[in-house]
Amino acid sequence: MAGPETDAQFHFTGIKKYFNSYILTGRMNCVLATYGGIALMILYFKLRSKKTPAMKATLTWTSSVKFRCLEKLMSTHHAILNLYNKL
Amino acid sequence: MNENLFASFAAPSMMGLPIVVLIVMFPSILFPTPSRLINNRLISIQQWLIQLTSKQMLAIHNQKGRTWALMLMSLILFIGSTNLLGLLPHSFTPTTQLSMNLGMAIPLWAGTVITGFRYKTKVSLAHFLPQGTPLPLIPMLVVIETISLFIQPMALAVRLTANITAGHLLIHLIGGATLALINISATTAFITFIILILLTILEFAVALIQAYVFTLLVSLYLHDNT
């Protein structure tokens, strides 16, 4: 069974000193890192935008100045045509 | 026949009032409180049995674990007596109800886990990763150990429910078969009756064994966390 007396026989250096599957602290840190990783993945998928790149491009285009000018031009053109048809 | 098979597992009521609470409380009447230094035969036998069980069950525990002695002894006495009383004909067995067994398993298991996290946080967290696990397997094993931890109370409850329910159903079925075979073939009915006797003896053993297994597992979870 793992315990402080068995942990003394292991000598790790660098990152392995804190993340390993032999000593108590190392195992605890690995478990916490795994849980942290899962939590981050859940957060990432929850917070990321649900719109696709095509939708984003369309929304960007529809909110742009060029599109608004074109829309105004088209509505003016339709108004003139209707007037012409009435006459 | 089909309706009668599962009718014994329905929560009983008398004149529209549920009496399941009375049935659950009934086994406590069978264990009178010792009031003298030297008691009558019934109490002396019960005391001897309790001492025998508690010595064997608490031998593995440290000081902290032994504070659960009363809880564990009450648990084994309650489940054992309830299971045995359920073998009486036409009686209702509370331990066939999953709700009741979950109500026992979840608080006891949660108590052991919370005790472990409160007094030995590092060791409790380290338990999720077996020693010597290769690096690539660490995340998967942590997830598997977490799932196995949360399955423990479900397994406790379902084990007891399934064993007692299955035993009672088998007794019902084989008893019904014996009665049906009497008019058809006496020899076959006799053989079926012998099987019924053997099954009843088995159910007596299962009733006590399941009580012991339930309590032993709670005791082991406690030992891991103290």
Side-chain angles (χ1 to χ4, degrees):
Chain A
M1 195 75 171
E5 59 280 347
T6 53
D7 285 357
Q9 62 180 294
F10 298 106
H11 301 284
F12 294 107
T13 51
I15 196 164
K16 275 200 169 175
K17 195 176 169 187
Y18 301 103
F19 292 95
N20 61 74
S21 62
Y22 291 93
I23 61 174
L24 220 59
T25 320
R27 284 157 70 195
M28 183 187 75
N29 289 337
C30 285
V31 168
L32 290 173
T34 309
Y35 287 152
I38 293 168
L40 282 172
M41 270 170 59
I42 292 169
L43 262 174
Y44 168 72
F45 282 107
K46 260 191 168 332
L47 294 173
R48 75 169 181 171
S49 173
K50 290 227 165 65
K51 297 179 195 138
T52 60
M55 272 176 74
K56 268 193 199 158
T58 316
L59 283 167
T60 320
W61 162 243
T62 52
S63 61
S64 70
V65 175
K66 261 190 195 172
F67 177 76
R68 274 197 230 118
C69 292
L70 194 66
E71 213 178 26
K72 216 166 187 178
L73 196 66
M74 289 301 290
S75 60
T76 320
H77 173 71
H78 282 300
I80 296 168
L81 266 175
N82 285 340
L83 203 64
Y84 178 72
N85 286 334
K86 272 184 189 167
L87 290 172
Chain B
M1 176 66 181
N2 280 341
E3 200 235 309
N4 286 337
L5 204 57
F6 293 100
S8 60
F9 300 115
S13 60
M14 196 191 292
M15 294 186 290
L17 295 167
I19 54 167
V20 65
V21 175
L22 290 172
I23 295 172
V24 168
M25 283 164 54
F26 178 71
S28 59
I29 298 170
L30 305 173
F31 298 97
T33 313
S35 54
R36 292 188 166 83
L37 186 64
I38 297 169
N39 292 283
N40 62 29
R41 272 173 280 225
L42 174 69
I43 297 174
S44 299
I45 290 172
Q46 286 173 355
Q47 277 182 323
W48 173 76
L49 273 170
I50 290 166
Q51 271 181 3
L52 185 73
T53 320
S54 56
K55 260 192 202 170
Q56 196 268 323
M57 196 155 279
L58 298 166
I60 58 165
H61 287 290
N62 55 20
Q63 199 65 26
K64 203 166 204 55
R66 284 175 190 174
T67 56
W68 281 56
L70 183 62
M71 182 74 241
L72 294 173
M73 286 305 109
S74 309
L75 189 67
I76 194 170
L77 283 176
F78 172 70
I79 299 176
S81 56
T82 308
N83 288 348
L84 286 171
L85 283 170
L87 288 169
L88 291 168
H90 300 288
S91 64
F92 171 71
T93 319
T95 43
T96 54
Q97 308 298 306
L98 186 64
S99 53
M100 160 119 178
N101 295 333
L102 279 171
M104 287 192 293
I106 291 178
L108 289 169
W109 164 85
T112 60
V113 169
I114 290 168
T115 306
F117 273 100
R118 198 175 153 196
Y119 294 109
K120 284 180 167 186
T121 317
K122 209 175 185 179
V123 175
S124 297
L125 279 170
H127 261 135
F128 287 106
L129 182 62
Q131 200 181 21
T133 310
L135 189 66
L137 290 175
I138 286 174
M140 190 182 74
L141 228 56
V142 170
V143 171
I144 286 171
E145 288 287 328
T146 311
I147 293 168
S148 77
L149 179 77
F150 283 99
I151 277 190
Q152 280 173 356
M154 306 297 148
L156 264 180
V158 171
R159 184 185 299 110
L160 181 58
T161 309
N163 272 289
I164 304 300
T165 309
H168 286 199
L169 269 176
L170 268 173
I171 288 174
H172 258 276
L173 283 168
I174 292 178
T178 310
L179 277 174
L181 284 168
I182 280 173
N183 293 329
I184 300 167
S185 162
T187 321
T188 321
F190 182 69
I191 294 167
T192 320
F193 182 68
I194 300 293
I195 294 170
L196 181 63
I197 300 285
L198 293 172
L199 184 66
T200 310
I201 294 167
L202 175 69
E203 283 308 308
F204 271 94
V206 165
L208 294 168
I209 288 167
Q210 286 306 314
Y212 176 69
V213 163
F214 194 103
T215 314
L216 184 70
L217 282 169
V218 171
S219 163
L220 284 174
Y221 299 153
L222 179 68
H223 179 65
D224 285 342
N225 286 296
T226 50

